[in-house]
Amino acid sequence: EVQLVESGGGLVQAGGSLRLSCAASGFTFDDYAIGWFRQAPGKEREGVSCISSSDGSTYYADSVKGRFTISSDNAKNTVYLQMNSLKPEDTAVYYCAAALWRPLSPGSVNEYDYWGQGTQVTVSS
């Protein structure tokens, strides 16, 4: 059974940091890209970042470049999203997702095969 389990969300003040984790199981981790998405109330789900478990290549949305860092621990089948300099507009439910690694649009929800349940991130001003 494929599982993606997010953790690490919470409430933080603007300027603060959080580290999200996505623990994966039930598939060959090295064959997949893992993406982070977020969805704020009343808004569409948007791609935040992505990493290839195979070659470590990464993608970041413009809105998070320089503030967020994605990394992967293949031994633990876990992907992390380090979020620094958080802003109130980063408030959303954050989801991780897995896509079989291939040329893809990393920020597109349609590219991903498996999804986690999400973790809430709230940034207060």
Side-chain angles (χ1 to χ4, degrees):
E1 178 188 6
V2 172
Q3 281 194 318
L4 295 168
V5 179
E6 302 96 337
S7 61
L11 173 64
V12 64
Q13 288 188 331
S17 299
L18 284 173
R19 189 177 80 155
L20 305 183
S21 299
C22 173
S25 61
F27 59 92
T28 304
F29 189 74
D30 290 356
D31 291 342
Y32 280 74
I34 304 296
W36 284 98
F37 290 77
R38 65 187 181 186
Q39 189 166 20
K43 294 188 176 181
E44 293 188 353
R45 193 168 297 188
E46 64 170 347
V48 173
S49 185
C50 176
I51 187 167
S52 164
S53 301
S54 176
D55 63 12
S57 56
T58 58
Y59 155 85
Y60 294 97
D62 288 342
S63 58
V64 305
K65 280 181 182 176
R67 300 189 298 124
F68 291 11
T69 303
I70 192 169
S71 62
S72 178
D73 185 338
N74 287 24
K76 296 182 178 180
N77 285 5
T78 300
V79 169
Y80 304 96
L81 186 68
Q82 178 67 44
M83 307 187 295
N84 298 330
S85 302
L86 283 162
K87 305 175 182 180
E89 50 263 45
D90 294 318
T91 295
V93 177
Y94 282 70
Y95 300 88
C96 66
L100 189 64
W101 181 240
R102 64 193 185 280
L104 50 74
S105 298
S108 172
V109 297
N110 295 325
E111 297 278 29
Y112 291 81
D113 307 301
Y114 307 113
W115 291 84
Q117 293 300 305
T119 185
Q120 176 70 47
V121 171
T122 303
V123 184
S124 63
S125 57

